[in-house]
Amino acid sequence: MAAKWLKDTVFYEIYPQSFYDTNGDGIGDFNGIIEKLDYIKGLGCNALWINPCFDSPFKDAGYDVRDYKKVASRYGTNADLYRLFGEAHRKGIRVFLDLVPGHTSEEHEWFRQSQKQEKNEYSNRYIWTDHWFKPAKGLNYVGGESERSGTYVLNFFKCQPALNYGFLNPTESWQLPVDHPDVVATVEALKDIMRFWLDHGCDGFRVDMAMSLVKNDDDKKTGTSAVWRNVREMLDKEYPDAAMVSEWSDPPVALRAGYDMDFYLNMPGNGYSTLMRDYEMHPDDDRSYFKKDGNGDISRFLDQYVKWYEDTKDIGYISMLTCNHDTTRPRYTLSPHELKIAYAFLFTMPGVPFLYYGDEIGMRYLDIPTKEGGYTRTGSRTPMQWNREKNLGFSTGCEDALYLPVDHADDAPTVADQENDPDSLLNTVKELLALRHREADLQADAPFTVLCADRGAPLVYKRGSLTVALNPTEKEAAADVPVKGEILYRIGKDAALGDRIVVPAQSFVIVR
Ligand code: GLC
Ligand code: CA
């Protein structure tokens, strides 16, 4: 069962280095987040997910943790982060940190110890073969970097050695079973990190590569899921209000493993990708549902989503997201008006939605060189655009010192400009989120039923007693379903209600 407070929660994802810089060094910081809490609250978000903010050599933007219990000095001090928890709570905002359980930085002290030839407490904290020339077959591994004779397994980049959660059915003498004491010690170390932050006021975690723990665990239902159920038991007992969201994108498995929420991530060809990022699969023929000239086929999304939803609605939540730090911003291909309809859909779906910083103003994806292992992801990680002042209000520092360049386009969207425009994307987001908080039927738990998903017709669905209808295309569309009542909210032009509903081009409506 998911934490109760999630039912009326909307998350805001903050990439801390790019949000708001208060000391002019060109890098966002905790004090910057504290200063912007009222902005976040005003948006209608009442929870934060802050990307990794821990001590790190930043070869993967902080997903290579060197010390789990110490924040990176570029963001401030541990005391600043504790103050952020306190200030956020005073405003009714919960805070998630990013937990990276599957790997550390190669500079983590555990790994330094593990690399030693002489056996010690950390020898088995990572996955090593028993000879410098022996490969870890079927896994990515590195040899030749350590005093120890063995090769070690990686979880992602070369800088990220995999922590040892054991093998489901070990086939080699160096593979430890999941109940080996040294493997159990890894799980205990993970719980210790979680307790540390929860004790200091954090409310839960976004969990990085949550499916990556136990090796040879093909469907993840046995080994990796057992680790998370063990963690869940600890939380239920010691921190009953704490919650977790997984980077897994397999809700039937992740939610049964004890997660409150699982992200529906963008993976080329999956249901979510067909909403806004079909170009990744079809570069010359982008048929994304929310493009006005897309082909209006929502079934590619619903076929996957509805199955998951039906299977998991009593266990936990599927989290829809506008974007994240790994994904191309939706503004890359969608106009501000197309974004309004896409967001209206995302924010009226069941589960717990996530808004990625800057998407509320339609920040662009920038074509810029890689930074800290970002590669093509870098263009979605640029500084928040607050106003028309220096560096678009992100930092008073000199331009060369900025973590990443700001958008130099003359029409780069900013918060200040959009606050003054009643018709802006920002104000639409605010209205949608305010409505969601007002109407229980738009929140996480209210039932979701599709009334019409035919090609060429509007998408019509029920949330509790409310009916939502939308038509992202350039042509008026009608559905043979009776929709009567009062229009609660609309984008574009008013729909015609009655025994059938007619939704004008590029319009969205909620009917009570
Ligand atoms: C996750 C993160 C990504 C990171 C990777 C390795 O996918 O979202 O940014 O590079 O894990 O930790
Ligand atoms: Ca700073």
Side-chain angles (χ1 to χ4, degrees):
M1 269 317 268
K4 290 232 171 15
W5 59 268
L6 288 170
K7 75 176 168 51
D8 182 22
T9 297
V10 179
F11 274 86
Y12 191 68
E13 179 190 347
I14 294 183
Y15 201 63
Q17 49 273 60
S18 297
F19 195 55
Y20 186 49
D21 170 27
T22 55
N23 64 351
D25 66 355
I27 298 187
D29 40 53
F30 295 130
N31 286 332
I33 300 175
I34 293 173
E35 282 192 32
K36 297 296 185 185
L37 287 172
D38 284 330
Y39 167 75
I40 293 161
K41 179 103 207 186
L43 263 179
C45 293
N46 51 3
L48 304 179
W49 153 28
I50 303 174
N51 286 100
C53 53
F54 313 105
D55 178 45
S56 167
F58 292 108
K59 289 188 180 172
D60 184 15
Y63 282 98
D64 47 331
V65 179
R66 186 162 51 200
D67 185 340
Y68 283 105
K69 296 185 181 174
K70 190 170 154 244
V71 303
S73 55
R74 70 188 197 183
Y75 303 130
T77 63
N78 276 30
D80 293 331
L81 180 55
Y82 306 155
R83 195 161 63 83
L84 165 55
F85 295 149
E87 296 288 326
H89 293 161
R90 254 190 288 288
K91 296 180 195 292
I93 299 173
R94 317 234 182 189
V95 185
F96 272 23
L97 295 178
D98 206 319
L99 181 70
V100 189
H103 48 270
T104 66
S105 157
E106 59 196 345
E107 294 183 21
H108 195 293
E109 185 52 29
W110 296 343
F111 190 63
R112 292 289 184 233
Q113 294 299 323
S114 199
Q115 286 180 297
K116 293 186 176 158
Q117 182 57 23
E118 200 172 299
K119 202 152 168 37
N120 61 62
E121 192 187 337
Y122 300 101
S123 297
N124 284 332
R125 182 58 53 93
Y126 298 81
I127 306 170
W128 292 85
T129 66
D130 51 10
H131 188 272
W132 66 271
F133 202 59
K134 191 184 278 180
K137 279 199 202 101
L139 297 164
N140 291 332
Y141 65 93
V142 171
E145 291 269 314
S146 318
E147 167 191 320
R148 173 172 178 171
S149 172
T151 59
Y152 61 87
V153 171
L154 301 176
N155 231 27
F156 197 66
F157 287 151
K158 183 256 161 192
C159 62
Q160 291 157 320
L163 284 161
N164 196 353
Y165 292 88
F167 286 71
L168 192 56
N169 295 301
T171 53
E172 306 268 350
S173 58
W174 52 266
Q175 300 181 349
L176 303 185
V178 291
D179 58 356
H180 188 282
D182 293 344
V183 169
V184 173
T186 308
V187 180
E188 291 308 312
L190 173 67
K191 290 197 270 188
D192 173 62
I193 295 160
M194 296 174 80
R195 288 189 182 100
F196 176 85
W197 289 108
L198 291 165
D199 286 341
H200 280 100
C202 124
D203 298 285
F205 302 93
R206 174 270 185 183
V207 179
D208 187 68
M209 291 177 66
M211 81 309 270
S212 74
L213 306 188
V214 176
K215 306 303 179 203
N216 283 4
D217 180 23
D218 294 338
D219 64 9
K220 316 287 178 195
K221 289 182 189 164
T222 320
T224 299
S225 286
V227 174
W228 292 119
R229 279 193 282 267
N230 174 329
V231 168
R232 182 83 246 175
E233 250 172 64
M234 180 280 281
L235 292 178
D236 285 347
K237 216 184 301 150
E238 300 173 33
Y239 306 91
D241 245 9
M244 299 192 290
V245 57
S246 45
E247 185 193 33
W248 196 322
S249 218
D250 189 356
V253 179
L255 300 177
R256 286 192 175 85
Y259 276 91
D260 303 75
M261 306 164 265
D262 185 32
F263 286 127
Y264 196 173
L265 296 171
N266 185 66
M267 296 180 184
N270 76 353
Y272 174 79
S273 79
T274 68
L275 297 176
M276 307 190 284
R277 300 181 183 88
D278 187 52
Y279 56 85
E280 292 182 358
M281 278 296 276
H282 306 104
D284 303 319
D285 178 25
D286 181 351
R287 293 173 290 157
S288 296
Y289 182 70
F290 285 107
K291 271 189 67 142
K292 65 177 195 276
D293 55 355
N295 69 359
D297 183 6
I298 191 70
S299 68
R300 292 178 298 167
F301 167 80
L302 289 175
D303 286 350
Q304 187 170 39
Y305 178 84
V306 173
K307 251 189 241 128
W308 280 351
Y309 170 74
E310 292 297 337
D311 183 30
T312 61
K313 60 180 189 229
D314 300 323
I315 317 174
Y317 300 121
I318 300 172
S319 278
M320 303 291 288
L321 54 176
T322 60
C323 188
N324 69 20
H325 62 289
D326 294 328
T327 306
T328 311
R329 285 197 186 268
R331 178 73 171 88
Y332 184 54
T333 52
L334 299 186
S335 70
H337 190 82
E338 287 167 325
L339 286 176
K340 284 184 187 174
I341 296 174
Y343 294 173
F345 167 75
L346 296 174
F347 295 148
T348 52
M349 288 292 279
V352 181
F354 280 67
L355 171 63
Y356 183 53
Y357 85 97
D359 280 348
E360 68 272 33
I361 54 170
M363 269 174 61
R364 292 191 173 88
Y365 172 83
L366 302 187
D367 185 11
I368 50 175
T370 183
K371 173 105 178 184
E372 296 184 349
Y375 300 96
T376 54
R377 306 176 292 183
T378 309
S380 293
R381 300 175 172 183
T382 59
M384 181 66 181
Q385 298 161 195
W386 294 104
N387 54 44
R388 296 274 150 218
E389 284 159 36
K390 186 175 180 187
N391 301 319
L392 299 181
F394 162 66
S395 169
T396 55
C398 64
E399 204 186 326
D400 305 345
L402 298 189
Y403 178 75
L404 284 172
V406 296
D407 185 350
H408 286 295
D410 288 339
D411 62 348
T414 69
V415 170
D417 290 347
Q418 294 198 17
E419 272 173 345
N420 293 324
D421 171 5
D423 199 35
S424 66
L425 182 60
L426 177 66
N427 280 317
T428 301
V429 168
K430 285 187 187 176
E431 288 161 7
L432 283 164
L433 295 184
L435 197 62
R436 190 176 166 109
H437 292 305
R438 242 182 355 252
E439 299 288 338
D441 277 350
L442 292 177
Q443 296 167 9
D445 291 328
F448 169 77
T449 328
V450 177
L451 299 183
C452 175
D454 299 343
R455 210 133 144 196
L459 169 64
V460 188
Y461 51 98
K462 280 262 193 277
R463 289 301 317 284
S465 64
L466 303 178
T467 306
V468 180
L470 60 93
N471 171 16
T473 74
E474 290 170 298
K475 278 191 236 126
E476 178 182 280
D480 280 322
V481 281
V483 180
K484 292 169 189 165
E486 162 211 3
I487 291 184
L488 215 59
Y489 187 72
R490 72 168 162 89
I491 295 168
K493 299 206 179 77
D494 268 345
L497 309 180
D499 291 331
R500 62 204 293 261
I501 179 168
V502 185
V503 186
Q506 293 209 279
S507 298
F508 168 94
V509 70
I510 303 178
V511 181
R512 189 202 315 269

